[in-house]
Each structure stands twice: as C-alpha cells, then as structure tokens.
Amino acid sequence: MTGPVHISPDQTDTLTLLGTGDSKGVPRFWCACPVCTEARGVNGQPGVNRRTRTATLLRSGGQSALLDAGPDTHAGLARLNGPLVPDAVFISHAHNDHLLGLGDLLDYVRYAAGRLRVYAPPEVVPEIAARFPYAFPEGEGGPVQPIPPQGVPVGEVVVRAFRVPHGANGHSHAYRLDRPAGAGGDGWSAAVVTDAIGIPPELAREWLRAPGGAGLDTLVLGTSFEDESGAPLTGRSVYDVREALTLPWAQAAGQVVLTHLSHGVDVRHAGHLPPGWQYARDDLTVHLPAAPYRPGPPPTHNL
C-alpha cells in the first residue's frame, strides 16, 4: 500500500481518500475470507485490501475540508505528513461509519478551544446533537450548522449536499463539488456518492452531470460488493460494481473511483474495470482536473 501524498496549497485541487471501506471495515475482525486474510498483511505490513471507514479530505486553494468522519478519521489524519486541522467538516448522514470520528473533532473544538466549521444537512443536525449531547450545551448555539442550499466554499471549490436514496437504510446525502472556470484555469465538476442505490434519472440529471449535461470530471462512487444480484433488492443499501458499470452518469464521467468497499471486493482483481475507472485504497490522492483521468502505474502491494 502506498503512503499518503503531501499536497502543497499551491498544487491542484485534490481528494485524499483517508477511508475507503464499508461500515465494517476490512478486514472484518471476525473473518478469515481471502480478502480479509490478505488485508491483515504480512510481517506488520498491511495488505492492499486493508480499508478503514469513510473519510475524504478535499484540498483547494490552501484550504481543506473533511467529507464525512468515520470512526477511523483520527488515524487517517495522523497518517498525514504533518498536523492538519480542516477548515470545515461535512457530515452526510448519521450512520456510525460516517459520523463517529466527529467526536475527536468536537473535542478539539470544546477542549482545545479550536475553531472548526461543521456542516450537515438540516435534518441530520438533530441526529448529531442526540449522538454528541455534551457538545451541544443547553441554551447555546450548537457546533454544527445546516449546509446552506448555495453550498460552502472551500478554497476555490463550492461544496453542496443533495439527498439520495439509501435503499433499506432510507436516505443519505451525497456531495457535489464545483470549481468555476476563472483566472485560475478551467473549471470542473465532481461528486462523492458513497451511500446510495437506485438514484432516479431526474436526480442524476440535476446533480450527477456537469453544466450543459456533459459527464462529471470525477465521480467517487460507493460499491460495497462486486455482485449482489443474488440478494433481495429490498435488503440492499449501496450499489454493487456490476450495477455501477451500467449507470449512464457513471459511464459519462471522466474518471471514476469506486469506494465504500467491503470484503466482497478484492482490489487486486481490477482488470474488468474500464479505462478511467479504479478501485479506491486508503490514502489514495485523486487530482480533480477538467481533463479525463489518465491511469498511472498500479500501486504496489503485498501478495
């Protein structure tokens, strides 16, 4: 597994995927399947399938933001080359694998007198307050603000949230990222959709296309398993890889990174993915250009 890549503030906009596993992580601590066995690694070196829970670091124009904060966020931030306090944190929904790392960040605000902007969709804010009541003193304004409809600027990028179906788990929210074209160069559009299934065409047309109807420059999409066609659809909550490959808005994207991966996905076997598609791995840094993705050399890993 490759280590984290340090991106200086004057370099291109990036997403660093600090955590790329599903809600249980890989390896599952109780599991001895081939993927979990490989993920445990050899001689203290983790396998390429080692995956922690969801957290994504956006960097742009000298600023940074966390998109979700799973239980392993502290470890993900600690792996960076130096100390980093994000300028903002966004929470998509109140499931443990996207939220529990917020406790460390709220402790920073409350006990270290730090300043940190935390945002969530309006309906999610009360759920966060119920989970972390100590951080919401009675009679005081809480530390989590509703994401405004117009979005929140992070450097040169505007971050917005939109509601998506989450199958058996009700609904979640995904992130839309846009950098307008300007003096700094060409603009781009991206989306981070970790927890969704059955997105209707009208929603995809509104949020999962670039202005003018072209494909997104970058799509980060959750696909927990390779193929769940044998499981009842009523019990599922995230796309599988088989379905993702058929989605018109995914096919139209310049580059696609598949994340939220369970032990049902072995990233060593990626030959079936089309050009411009790749499996995520923890600490992968994805550049956010207007140009289509150009695949580089495959990552090294333990076999």
Side-chain angles (χ1 to χ4, degrees):
M1 181 181 296
T2 59
V5 177
H6 179 70
I7 304 296
S8 66
D10 60 344
Q11 287 182 281
T12 184
D13 305 326
T14 61
L15 289 173
T16 299
L17 287 83
L18 301 177
T20 60
D22 68 345
S23 62
K24 302 171 184 64
V26 183
R28 273 92 158 107
F29 64 82
W30 63 88
C31 184
C33 76
V35 172
C36 287
T37 298
E38 189 278 335
R40 287 188 173 89
V42 178
N43 297 326
Q45 295 298 314
V48 72
N49 282 298
R50 175 76 63 88
R51 297 187 274 273
T52 59
R53 274 73 62 89
T54 301
T56 302
L57 181 65
L58 166 68
R59 303 199 212 203
S60 173
Q63 294 189 344
S64 64
L66 271 176
L67 309 181
D68 287 325
D72 309 300
T73 298
H74 179 280
L77 291 173
R79 289 194 303 270
L80 298 174
N81 289 342
L84 182 146
V85 176
D87 295 284
V89 178
F90 298 85
I91 301 296
S92 62
H93 60 302
H95 288 174
N96 286 350
D97 59 318
H98 291 254
L99 176 65
L100 288 188
L102 185 59
D104 292 315
L105 297 166
L106 292 176
D107 284 351
Y108 166 77
V109 173
R110 187 164 178 80
Y111 299 117
R115 294 184 178 275
L116 181 65
R117 294 176 292 150
V118 183
Y119 297 93
E123 66 207 77
V124 177
V125 175
E127 297 180 76
I128 297 175
R131 198 73 58 87
F132 300 101
Y134 69 89
F136 290 75
E138 189 173 351
E140 298 181 21
V144 182
Q145 308 171 49
I147 301 175
Q150 69 273 20
V152 177
V154 177
E156 304 299 325
V157 178
V158 176
V159 179
R160 293 181 289 164
F162 60 100
R163 181 167 164 155
V164 292
H166 196 3
N169 287 332
H171 69 271
S172 176
H173 294 82
Y175 301 109
R176 172 65 181 248
L177 314 176
D178 289 280
R179 176 170 181 156
D186 294 335
W188 53 258
S189 298
V192 178
V193 189
T194 60
D195 291 48
I197 190 171
I199 293 177
E202 60 273 17
L203 186 66
R205 283 193 296 270
E206 180 179 2
W207 289 100
L208 298 171
R209 292 281 184 173
L216 294 169
D217 295 289
T218 301
L219 172 65
V220 178
L221 179 63
T223 53
S224 289
F225 288 86
E226 287 275 2
D227 186 345
E228 282 197 285
S229 57
L233 185 60
T234 54
R236 297 179 51 216
S237 58
V238 179
Y239 287 114
D240 64 21
V241 177
R242 168 189 56 92
E243 292 165 324
L245 291 169
T246 70
L247 296 171
W249 42 271
Q251 294 172 341
Q255 62 174 328
V256 179
V257 182
L258 301 179
T259 190
H260 205 273
L261 307 173
S262 78
H263 65 167
V265 175
D266 189 335
V267 301
R268 295 172 296 176
H269 305 150
H272 62 293
L273 297 181
W277 290 52
Q278 64 177 317
Y279 285 127
R281 62 185 185 276
D282 283 14
D283 300 326
L284 172 69
T285 291
V286 178
H287 292 261
L288 297 168
Y293 171 72
R294 296 290 185 265
T300 58
H301 54 74
N302 300 318
L303 294 176

